[in-house]
Amino acid sequence: MNYSKEIDKKWQEKWKKEDLYKFEENSQKKKCYTLEMFSYPSGAKLHLGHWFNYGPSDSFARYKRMKGYNVFQPMGFDAFGLPAENYAIKTGIHPEDSTRKNIETMKRQLEEMGGSFDWEHTVETCMPDYYKWTQWIFTKLYEAGLAYKKEAPVNWCDSCKTVLANEQVIDCKCERCGSVVQRKKLAQWFFKITDYAEELIQKLDELDWPESTKKVQINWIGKSYGSEIKFVGENGNFEFNVFTTRPDTVNGVTYVVIAPESKLVQQITTKEQKEAVDKYIQETLKLNEIDRLSTEREKTGVFTGAYAINPINDQKVPIWIADYVLEDYGTGAVMAVPAHDERDYKFATKYNLPIVEVVKSKDGKETKLPFTEYGILVNSGKYDGLSSDEAKVKITEDLAKREKGKSTVNYRLKDWLISRQRYWGAPIPIIYCDKCGTVAVPEKNLPVLLPYDVEFRPDGVSPLKKSKEFMECKCPKCGGKATREADTLDTFVCSSWYQFRYPDAKNKEKAFDKEIVNKMLPVDVYIGGKEHAAMHLIYARFMTKALRDLGYLDFDEPFKRLVHQGLILGPDGNKMSKSKGNTVAPEEYIEKYGSDGFRMYLMFGFDYKKGGPWDEKGIESIAKYFSRVEKLIETAVEEIKSSNSKNAEIGAKEKDLLRVKNQTIKSMGEDIEEFQFNTAIARAMEFLNKMNEYVKERDNINKEVFIDCVETYIKLLAPLAPHFAEEQWEKLGHTTSVHKEEWPEINEKQMNGGFKEIPVQVNGKLKLCVTVEADSTPEEILNAIKSNEKVQEIFKTYNVKKEIYVPGKIYNLVAEK
RNA sequence: GCCGAUGUGGCGGAAUUGGUAGACGCACUGGACUCAAAAUCCAGCGGGAAACCAUGUGGGUUCGAGUCCCACCAUCGGUACCA
């Protein structure tokens, strides 16, 4: 193989000089905005995962360019976040310094990859010229009532005096010091994403996204229809609502359960029960949500000593607390119907609570409790005999008349908590003034700069709070003394709108120009991992809708088409991580096989959408393949140079070759369009094998057909191996870039020439194949099959009962011996 | 736990979406070239002597199932402060 790293360098320099990948702003061509999820500069270098994400998707962008699109493919960095801060705490290196350095390295490596990115349009979320506008968006959402403050629990490590990310909590313990983590409430900022819950579900219909991702989002939002029912304390001194999807079973309620952290608990708990309740609450604070909601874990609870009245039958029912009820889902309280709910049944059995059956099976059969299906009501007074569906409506109606209930829609989706008690993020642009209250920082005072000299080591206080110079400020309204919000924004806020900034990345006056964003968005193809299915991809959709409603853009959805690349695991089949010691460094492969060799192997050796464990065994195959292509080019160059015009006829061999050529153009195009790079390369290899077979008898080839096939071949290879193809293109005598060429056209007539095989089966089992001319009619094919000697033999040896002929595809006989 | 995927030769992976299972490669075996080796080229390559048996396991639908249905098993991703 002659191809090497030096060839990469040669072409990278040339491309840069010629500005080959600059987006043409005023082009008449149709735009294609292809976007890869930007990277987080946590490590010092590009890792294998970056290569797997960005290499193949760059090939996709290159393909689109050859197909005549004005491709916009920018790249940037999601630069704020926890890992840089943790690294800083550990090493003392300031997050800004480490991040800046990492970005520089990664940028250089992305160029070495041959990524056709337009670096004129880039974003770095940690730069003031970017986060100024993140902050501005926050203030606009705040002014529109979409940002608000309320109390919410955080993971608190009392020995480190710091808030922990879920990731830092291992087995309910602090990852650093091992002490038990408690849930502690803090006042925090939220975005009202729940306002958009309905649209976030509805608009999924219009998107070209994987169905599985749509499902994840639908379930994440978790819409359910049901009723809210009001329970009043037995003395009328308190009341609360429960949410239920089964109002038909309300006559079977034998107790109610409220979330342990609910404020109501303190109010209603009796003296006798106080000690037990408090102890239970303390235990609950140690648990995370996954444990609390697990149906595997045995349910626990404590009686509060208080009672409430069931509004449907005025019965007195005990009020319990249990950790499986969450304060922020539904109303934070549930009615328990042990006869018709698994969990309630187990709970009631454990604590000896009564079980009252109120729904029987429709077919009158004896029902085994708990009976969770719909049926016919019993033991329900005037509702007896109604079906569950009828009863749901009737009971809710009756309760509504007495203002004891209403039908509602409940969403599992919670508002988006955007406050972080951390240093390395965009400061929340809010000022607290004794006189004017909470004030958003006006645009002219933005950005609120993140100060460099701050003590970010954890000691119980938000890092920014420790910077006097940051905290003290003037109220923009009254000019009086005021203080700043010390929390920073969740990095997901920064990444929820970057797709709008890219096309107008240098705008100093605005976050983005409305006309430009309307022209360039939505993103035509968005590429990234499916781990973002629920969070980032919902946040970005929410942000689009919020900005639309505020008048800053005119479309509903940010990403028209979505493709998930798979994950490359370590050679041991586990997720790559430094701690597991199973990481694979791309450098040595690039050194040996060149950027294209590595990129091609990533595309050929794995299913792009699936990923899989790293295995270097196959990488040699690409080097061998490149050698074979180089050999073919040598042959072609010799042919071009030689003056003798050989066979000019187009015979059967030429027809066969041209058929393969056109089929290859077609299937490679379709495969790249679908991100099936492995099969695209397989098709390319087949075409190469075919050409090699053709030129075996050098004296007997049609020069024109052969050269045409070779030139086509290099064009087909150009998006997949950009440096390598450019080099071969030059060898063929071209002085302009192959990346300026168009994707070859398909000649339908040439493609459908030749022969094909029709399988003949008996009882679905293959017996033989009959070769027919590909362009004959289905009837002609059937005749050819039936007149085949071996097929006639089958008719003789078997008792044929039925013939099944799928025109042009298969011929099957149902038969006995 | 819940939600979403995935499971095909020794390995990576194909399969026109219900129609020839194993494309294209890797590894391996044999041959050619060579003093020899490497490289390269040629041939073979799921199991079985064959009938046949084979797409995680067990059922089902169908003329026909890797593909559709039901029940299980295993692995992976997400689970709201990793991004």
Side-chain angles (χ1 to χ4, degrees), chain A residues 662-682:
Chain A
N662 284 284
Q663 264 172 4
T664 307
I665 299 171
K666 183 166 186 261
S667 39
M668 280 184 79
E670 287 168 356
D671 286 349
I672 296 172
E673 188 71 55
E674 291 304 316
F675 289 77
Q676 284 156 9
F677 303 104
N678 53 352
T679 48
I681 294 171

Side-chain angles (χ1 to χ4, degrees), chain A residues 756 758 777-779 781-782 785 804-811:
Chain A
K756 71 174 175 185
I758 305 292
T777 65
E779 289 74 30
I781 292 175
L782 184 59
I785 295 169
I804 291 154
Y805 175 56
V806 184
K809 263 192 177 164
I810 200 160
Y811 183 66

Side-chain angles (χ1 to χ4, degrees), chain A residues 541-656:
Chain A
R541 294 181 63 217
F542 156 74
M543 192 54 88
T544 308
K545 293 169 196 307
L547 292 173
R548 174 201 62 196
D549 290 347
L550 296 176
Y552 297 108
L553 43 82
D554 292 330
F555 47 92
D556 302 324
E557 288 289 338
F559 314 119
K560 218 190 307 184
R561 182 178 170 203
L562 174 69
V563 175
H564 294 307
Q565 89 277 17
L567 197 65
I568 298 292
L569 307 169
D572 56 357
N574 292 305
K575 208 173 166 176
M576 282 192 205
S577 73
K578 274 184 200 150
S579 58
K580 279 194 189 129
N582 61 349
T583 54
V584 175
E587 287 85 356
E588 55 173 306
Y589 298 109
I590 294 149
E591 191 67 33
K592 198 163 165 198
Y593 300 100
S595 150
D596 287 354
F598 191 56
R599 181 199 292 221
M600 283 281 281
Y601 178 59
L602 290 174
M603 292 193 286
F604 180 60
F606 302 86
D607 175 343
Y608 187 68
K609 293 178 188 170
K610 222 164 78 189
W614 173 253
D615 180 1
E616 62 171 20
K617 263 198 233 151
I619 193 160
E620 279 288 339
S621 68
I622 295 297
K624 281 187 199 166
Y625 166 71
F626 278 171
S627 299
R628 290 203 301 273
V629 175
E630 279 168 346
K631 219 175 252 173
L632 180 80
I633 297 300
E634 277 166 35
T635 312
V637 170
E638 278 172 31
E639 283 296 324
I640 291 169
K641 279 181 188 156
S642 78
S643 52
N644 53 341
S645 60
K646 288 171 187 164
N647 185 7
E649 243 175 79
I650 306 241
K653 268 166 78 185
E654 283 73 24
K655 274 187 189 163
D656 198 37

Side-chain angles (χ1 to χ4, degrees), chain A residues 667-735:
Chain A
S667 39
M668 280 184 79
E670 287 168 356
D671 286 349
I672 296 172
E673 188 71 55
E674 291 304 316
F675 289 77
Q676 284 156 9
F677 303 104
N678 53 352
T679 48
I681 294 171
R683 296 292 93 82
M685 287 173 170
E686 280 170 324
F687 186 23
L688 177 69
N689 293 344
K690 195 83 198 173
M691 279 192 283
N692 278 333
E693 204 180 292
Y694 181 73
V695 292
K696 247 186 206 163
E697 295 171 59
R698 277 285 288 282
D699 298 335
N700 209 8
I701 63 169
N702 180 318
K703 183 170 160 181
E704 206 179 308
V705 169
F706 174 59
I707 299 299
D708 168 58
C709 282
V710 172
E711 297 229 314
T712 302
Y713 197 75
I714 298 307
K715 288 187 206 170
L716 295 177
L717 212 54
L720 303 172
H723 311 84
F724 177 77
E726 192 79 301
E727 182 73 13
Q728 309 315 314
W729 190 246
E730 190 186 49
K731 280 190 209 161
L732 287 171
H734 297 279
T735 50

Side-chain angles (χ1 to χ4, degrees), chain A residues 8-44:
Chain A
D8 290 346
K9 218 170 267 164
K10 164 180 162 187
W11 291 110
Q12 278 159 17
E13 277 165 21
K14 208 152 186 180
W15 295 338
K16 210 171 178 180
K17 222 187 267 165
E18 290 174 16
D19 235 341
L20 202 62
Y21 304 116
K22 199 171 147 50
F23 175 68
E24 305 161 39
E25 314 230 338
N26 298 313
S27 167
Q28 295 300 305
K29 290 189 252 175
K30 202 175 168 201
K31 68 98 186 173
C32 181
Y33 185 173
T34 72
L35 182 63
E36 293 95 50
M37 288 180 185
F38 60 174
S39 53
Y40 181 78
S42 67

Side-chain angles (χ1 to χ4, degrees), chain A residues 474-513:
Chain A
K474 275 186 191 164
C475 170
K477 274 193 182 160
C478 67
K481 257 193 171 178
T483 54
R484 290 191 190 277
E485 169 63 62
D487 283 0
T488 50
L489 287 167
D490 176 10
T491 52
F492 277 123
V493 179
C494 307
S495 60
S496 66
W497 73 282
Y498 77 116
Q499 66 278 3
F500 306 142
R501 180 71 181 170
Y502 276 133
D504 198 15
K506 287 185 183 149
N507 199 326
K508 289 207 160 65
E509 311 297 319
K510 294 175 188 173
F512 48 81
D513 181 82

Side-chain angles (χ1 to χ4, degrees), chain A residues 431-437 439 445 470-484:
Chain A
I431 286 168
Y432 301 106
C433 168
D434 284 341
K435 235 159 103 194
C436 311
V439 181
N445 295 350
F470 175 81
M471 290 303 286
E472 288 176 3
C473 64
K474 275 186 191 164
C475 170
K477 274 193 182 160
C478 67
K481 257 193 171 178
T483 54
R484 290 191 190 277

